[in-house]
């Protein structure tokens, strides 16, 4: 089998011949708001040698998908398409059943239940690289598994690889009620840290339920007012200035920036992250950044925590595939408490 050829797959029960070659999917033919998203019947994707075809049972909505839908910041279009998206089907997070495997795939076979990152997961079928999948834990639903990959891996990398979290450290999570933040709180607690989460008043109860030792309502208290200093700050939202982050750190503390939606239309929050990297060599504090990357090793680590119940996905709402535009509007309004799942 050569790259681009489709392997033999297990047919869907009751599927008609037409259903075997086409699928329902959400598509976008331009960048923009949720209004550019629509349901369509399109050809099923074909797999390369290192890919599998997944029958998607659930997909997650993450910030990266929002960026690709809107085409913002503009620099992102260099990778995803200058005028229109190269891939018309949005969606990254997925959980489902393998129906076909490429010739070079060794870790999965048809029938395996998996979760991870695919190409165009807002559809009945999506392709995914073998290296970006793991087996779904049996004790969690497809909906729960689907909202873990992008946000969970980003949180794990921010804390473990970039933040180098250790037991007993005081850790501050900015944006603790969001997708990445809801995992960061739980992962920091699992690492033995003393965790403070920052969020809005409406989401304080959620962050407490995730295990945070303390919760700051940002409308009432400034985390950088000097009353507390933290060994590690994971900045996922809020866009504080670097000087405010430094005021809240211990003299040799670390700040990891992995979010923020403000900034210019061309580079967005990346400008602040690059300034942090440029400043870090000249000060005692450590300022760094992380851009999440999803690989099987991290996904398998998260799967182990999910199996033990150490990590529990916080799902706010579940939408059917045809209501993806509504899900995107809800996400864009900043109302989500944790994650949003799409059932297919």
């Amino acid at each position: 089998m050569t790259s681009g050829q489709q392997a033999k797959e297990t047919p869907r029960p009751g599927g008609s011949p037409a259903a075997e070659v086409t699928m329902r999917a959400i598509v976008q033919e331009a960048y923009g708001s949720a209004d550019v998203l629509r349901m369509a019947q399109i050809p099923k994707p074909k797999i390369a040698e290192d890919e599998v075809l997944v029958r998607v049972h659930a997909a997650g909505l993450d910030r990266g998908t929002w960026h690709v839908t809107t085409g913002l910041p503009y620099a992102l279009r260099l990778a995803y398409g200058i005028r229109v998206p190269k891939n018309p089907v949005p969606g990254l997070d997925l959980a489902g059943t393998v129906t076909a495997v490429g010739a070079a795939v060794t870790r999965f076979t048809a029938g395996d239940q998996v979760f991870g990152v695919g190409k165009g997961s807002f559809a009945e079928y999506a392709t995914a690289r073998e290296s970006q999948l793991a087996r779904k834990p049996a004790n969690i639903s497809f909906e729960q598994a689907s909202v873990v990959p992008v946000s969970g891996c980003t949180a794990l990398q921010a804390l473990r690889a970039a933040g180098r979290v250790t037991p007993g450290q005081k850790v501050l999570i900015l944006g603790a009620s969001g997708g990445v933040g809801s995992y960061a709180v739980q992962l920091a607690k699992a690492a033995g840290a003393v965790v403070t989460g920052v969020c809005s008043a409406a989401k304080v109860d959620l962050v407490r339920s995730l295990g945070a030792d303390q919760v700051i309502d940002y409308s009432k208290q400034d985390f950088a007012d000097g009353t507390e200093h933290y060994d590690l700050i994971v900045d996922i939202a809020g866009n504080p200035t670097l000087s405010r982050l430094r005021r809240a750190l211990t003299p040799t503390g670390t700040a990891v920036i992995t979010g923020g939606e403000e900034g210019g239309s061309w580079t967005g929050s990346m400008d602040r992250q690059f300034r942090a990297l440029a400043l870090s060599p000249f000060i005692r504090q450590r300022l760094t950044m992380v851009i999440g990357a999803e690989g099987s090793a991290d996904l398998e680590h998260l799967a182990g925590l999910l199996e033990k119940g150490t990590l529990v996905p916080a799902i706010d709402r579940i939408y059917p595939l045809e209501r993806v535009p509504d899900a995107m509007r809800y996400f864009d309004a900043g109302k989500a408490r944790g994650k949003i799942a799409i059932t297919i």
Side-chain angles (χ1 to χ4, degrees):
M1 175 170 27
T2 60
S3 176
Q5 290 182 319
Q6 188 163 348
K8 181 179 179 181
E9 75 173 73
T10 303
R12 293 171 55 194
S16 66
E20 293 305 317
V21 296
T22 65
M23 65 178 184
R24 293 184 309 134
I26 295 294
V27 299
Q28 64 173 109
E29 295 160 345
Y31 293 114
S33 68
D35 295 336
V36 304
L37 302 173
R38 65 178 180 86
M39 182 75 83
Q41 195 80 17
I42 65 172
K44 284 168 56 177
K46 295 183 179 182
I47 54 174
E49 291 186 347
D50 63 344
E51 292 180 332
V52 305
L53 185 67
V54 178
R55 168 66 175 104
V56 183
H57 300 306
L61 176 54
D62 69 286
R63 180 59 66 176
T65 297
W66 179 89
H67 281 300
V68 175
T69 300
T70 60
L72 296 173
Y74 291 126
L76 173 145
R77 302 189 187 193
L78 296 174
Y80 291 96
I82 300 298
R83 296 185 179 276
V84 298
K86 293 177 183 177
N87 179 25
V89 182
L92 298 169
D93 282 335
L94 61 77
T97 303
V98 174
T99 63
V101 300
V105 172
T106 60
R107 294 173 52 233
F108 303 106
T109 59
D112 288 341
Q113 294 183 351
V114 297
F115 76 113
V117 171
K119 182 180 179 182
S121 62
F122 292 169
E124 291 182 301
Y125 291 87
T127 61
R129 292 181 180 176
E130 178 183 27
S131 60
Q132 292 185 299
L133 292 174
R135 283 176 171 78
K136 181 186 80 67
N139 62 316
I140 66 171
S141 67
F142 284 107
E143 289 81 9
Q144 288 175 307
S146 74
V147 299
V148 173
V150 172
S151 295
C153 286
T154 300
L156 183 65
Q157 291 157 21
L159 285 162
R160 190 169 62 171
R164 304 169 189 170
V165 64
T166 58
Q169 282 189 322
K170 293 176 65 176
V171 176
L172 181 73
I173 310 293
L174 302 179
S177 63
V180 177
S182 63
Y183 293 118
V185 170
Q186 296 179 75
L187 291 169
K189 284 297 296 179
V194 179
V195 181
T196 298
V198 179
C199 62
S200 66
K203 302 175 182 178
V204 166
D205 61 329
L206 169 66
V207 177
R208 284 204 182 102
S209 74
L210 296 170
D213 298 285
Q214 300 178 56
V215 184
I216 294 175
D217 171 0
Y218 61 70
S219 68
K220 296 180 179 179
Q221 181 182 347
D222 180 7
F223 72 86
D225 62 7
T227 58
E228 294 284 350
H229 294 89
Y230 302 91
D231 303 295
L232 171 62
I233 297 176
V234 179
D235 175 17
I236 305 162
N239 302 285
T241 62
L242 297 183
S243 60
R244 288 186 66 219
L245 288 177
R246 293 187 60 198
R247 281 202 301 272
L249 282 174
T250 60
T252 56
T254 295
V256 180
I257 303 173
T258 182
E261 299 310 315
E262 296 179 7
S265 297
W266 286 97
T267 59
S269 62
M270 294 300 295
D271 177 65
R272 184 170 62 111
Q273 298 180 26
F274 289 142
R275 285 188 285 110
L277 292 178
L279 176 62
S280 188
F282 303 100
I283 59 177
R284 294 177 63 200
Q285 295 164 325
R286 182 168 163 266
L287 308 180
T288 187
M289 61 178 280
V290 64
I291 298 175
E294 303 77 31
S296 58
D298 283 345
L299 289 168
E300 288 169 356
H301 179 80
L302 294 171
L305 297 176
L306 290 163
E307 283 186 319
K308 295 176 183 176
T310 303
L311 191 67
V312 179
I315 298 180
D316 182 356
R317 293 189 178 186
I318 299 175
Y319 291 83
L321 182 62
E322 61 270 18
R323 291 191 60 200
V324 163
D326 293 333
M328 188 69 75
R329 293 184 188 99
Y330 183 72
F331 180 89
D332 194 27
K335 297 178 180 179
R337 294 160 52 93
K339 297 292 297 182
I340 296 172
I342 310 297
T343 55
I344 303 162

